[in-house]
Amino acid sequence: MTTKVLLVDDEKEFLDLLGERMTARGMEVDSTTSATDALKITEDHTYDAIVLDLMMPEMDGLQVLKNLKAKHPELQVILLTGHGSIEKGVEAMRQGAMDFIEKPADLEVLTEKIKKAQARKMILVERKVEQEVRDILVSKGW
Amino acid sequence: MTQSNKETTVDGLRFFGRMSAAISHDLKNTLSIMNESAGLIEDLALMAENKGRPLDPQRIHQLGATIKRQIQRNDGIVRNMNQFAHSVDHSFKEIGLTANLQMLSTICRRLTDARGVAVAVTPSDPDIGIVTRPFHLLHLVWLLLAWAMDHVDEGKRLSLQARSVQDHVHLECRGIAGATAAAAFPPAPWTELLELLAARVEMDTAQQAIVAVLPRRMAA
């Protein structure tokens, strides 16, 4: 199954290069330089992982993360951080990020984290479906 | 050292740290682009070796050009960082205002962008020289900008410029929303910093500006 990833970073060149490398590794990649667009895109599309820059021009990465998780709790977000310390990364994980990775990122490490995100999302979606089926059975009383 | 001195010193260090962090973010971004460019060159070489996919010379040229562009960008960032770091070298020094406004607005662009505010510097030609405390002046400019961002007009555009007025210099930050900004003026206590620079701040409601009035030549 193809891994679907959304990249969100305000550096267009970075997105293009990383996207090309990830596509060459068999992933299906969408990207945007706008945090607002990222929120809109996730309304209509599903992703196994979202790789999100912590410092975006129009909206702080943590705020984007909060909005994404509020609407789609099953979304797996990996934060890209330019911070030299892990402080912000830990804060991001507390707010629901699956993981964080410091810039410049090692693509092999990032790919590994994306695979974990995909596996975790599958489990969450399966659980959600199970719960929905259970709810239907209980409510209909067949 | 009085309590007020200590607070000004700590605030100054915070300002220095904040600008240094902004610079490090910019450097990390250029490094990331170079890192992905180098990675892609490796990927292309591996695909040529292992899968027989021919190397496209045009693509390699493009990636080389990308790396060169990022090196130039990096050089500009480091030049600004160096200039900013040397602002603490001398208690008093003659500096060019436009050059320093441009340097600071470039360094803090990531922070102003994060607030959705565009900051432009209107250059003075020739540049206006001022004998002052360089680091404290930059700190004051940042405080003006930060305050102006809190009270920016709907257009979310601020402009920084300097004007000579007799033996003083008016450092203006234009683009604030007159009425709401006036209600919040004067800004939080900058007294100690203003004393250090022998400066005062004023509101110019006609120009929608907050203005720092500084002596052209501070006595050592």
Side-chain angles (χ1 to χ4, degrees):
Chain A
M1 195 171 70
T2 315
T3 313
K4 282 190 76 178
V5 184
L6 175 65
L7 301 177
V8 190
D9 193 296
D10 61 321
E11 294 277 349
K12 176 86 170 68
E13 259 182 322
F14 173 70
L15 286 182
D16 291 346
L17 290 159
L18 184 59
E20 187 173 345
R21 296 188 71 203
M22 287 167 76
T23 305
R25 282 160 174 75
M27 291 180 243
E28 200 179 315
V29 182
D30 288 335
S31 61
T32 175
T33 54
S34 153
T36 315
D37 281 354
L39 294 172
K40 281 185 199 151
I41 292 169
T42 50
E43 290 295 309
D44 305 323
H45 298 82
T46 57
Y47 295 96
D48 295 303
I50 296 179
V51 179
L52 170 69
D53 186 20
L54 192 60
M55 201 146 181
M56 298 287 293
E58 355 152 56
M59 205 187 285
D60 180 49
L62 287 180
Q63 190 56 51
V64 183
L65 169 70
K66 220 185 257 180
N67 293 357
L68 283 172
K69 292 299 276 188
K71 285 190 176 170
H72 314 281
E74 73 286 358
L75 270 182
Q76 299 300 304
V77 181
I78 299 165
L79 262 295
L80 273 177
T81 162
H83 283 261
S85 72
I86 60 163
E87 198 180 303
K88 276 271 180 183
V90 171
E91 195 185 332
M93 288 187 73
R94 213 177 284 145
Q95 293 196 20
M98 195 211 85
D99 211 336
F100 65 94
I101 188 164
E102 201 179 318
K103 280 183 170 181
D106 179 328
L107 185 53
E108 306 319 317
V109 176
L110 180 61
T111 305
E112 206 51 49
K113 289 182 192 292
I114 289 170
K115 277 183 190 159
K116 273 187 197 165
Q118 187 181 26
R120 193 184 283 198
K121 195 194 165 189
M122 276 171 71
I123 293 170
L124 287 174
V125 170
E126 273 171 21
R127 274 189 202 152
K128 198 177 163 189
V129 171
E130 269 176 29
Q131 187 59 48
E132 280 169 3
V133 170
R134 219 175 285 146
D135 290 347
I136 291 169
L137 289 174
V138 169
S139 67
K140 299 290 178 192
W142 292 320
Chain B
M1 192 184 266
T2 66
Q3 189 59 31
S4 176
N5 285 153
K6 277 183 198 163
E7 279 166 19
T8 304
T9 307
V10 171
D11 281 350
L13 277 171
R14 273 199 198 111
F15 161 66
F16 196 84
R18 200 157 184 205
M19 295 304 122
S20 303
I23 292 166
S24 75
H25 273 93
D26 287 341
L27 289 173
K28 286 249 182 191
N29 275 338
T30 57
L31 285 173
S32 292
I33 295 171
M34 287 192 266
N35 185 48
E36 295 311 323
S37 302
L40 186 53
I41 291 171
E42 275 181 352
D43 289 353
L44 295 171
L46 279 172
M47 282 191 269
E49 278 170 6
N50 301 336
K51 294 183 181 171
R53 187 175 139 176
L55 264 180
D56 175 7
Q58 194 54 39
R59 191 76 186 100
I60 304 297
H61 279 304
Q62 282 172 356
L63 289 167
T66 299
I67 294 172
K68 271 189 194 165
R69 235 184 355 261
Q70 294 306 319
I71 289 171
Q72 281 166 1
R73 187 177 159 196
N74 228 325
D75 187 45
I77 296 167
V78 172
R79 202 177 309 130
N80 279 334
M81 180 173 86
N82 188 273
Q83 198 186 336
F84 181 63
H86 282 298
S87 69
V88 293
D89 287 356
H90 304 281
S91 296
F92 294 93
K93 197 184 172 194
E94 177 155 19
I95 58 167
L97 270 177
T98 297
N100 275 268
L101 291 177
Q102 280 169 337
M103 181 260 288
L104 189 74
S105 67
T106 306
I107 286 177
C108 66
R109 183 158 300 143
R110 186 153 286 277
L111 303 171
T112 52
D113 280 355
R115 297 282 304 270
V117 178
V119 178
V121 175
T122 309
S124 312
D125 189 21
D127 197 358
I128 298 169
I130 176 172
V131 177
T132 190
R133 299 178 189 268
F135 176 72
H136 295 298
L137 178 71
L138 291 171
H139 188 186
L140 179 64
V141 174
W142 168 246
L143 290 179
L144 289 175
L145 265 179
W147 189 85
M149 281 195 289
D150 286 339
H151 305 285
V152 69
D153 201 2
E154 276 177 4
K156 291 205 154 196
R157 290 183 169 276
L158 293 172
S159 76
L160 285 168
Q161 62 187 81
R163 280 192 305 125
S164 279
V165 179
Q166 294 165 342
D167 54 349
H168 281 79
V169 170
H170 286 200
L171 213 161
E172 300 175 349
C173 183
R174 295 186 185 185
I176 55 175
T180 55
F185 191 84
W190 302 350
T191 321
E192 179 87 19
L193 185 63
L194 291 170
E195 273 174 20
L196 277 168
L197 291 163
R200 65 177 192 276
V201 281
E202 297 172 350
M203 275 273 297
D204 182 341
T205 39
Q207 296 290 349
Q208 292 188 285
I210 182 168
V211 184
V213 181
L214 299 134
R216 206 166 170 141
R217 301 189 76 81
M218 257 193 95

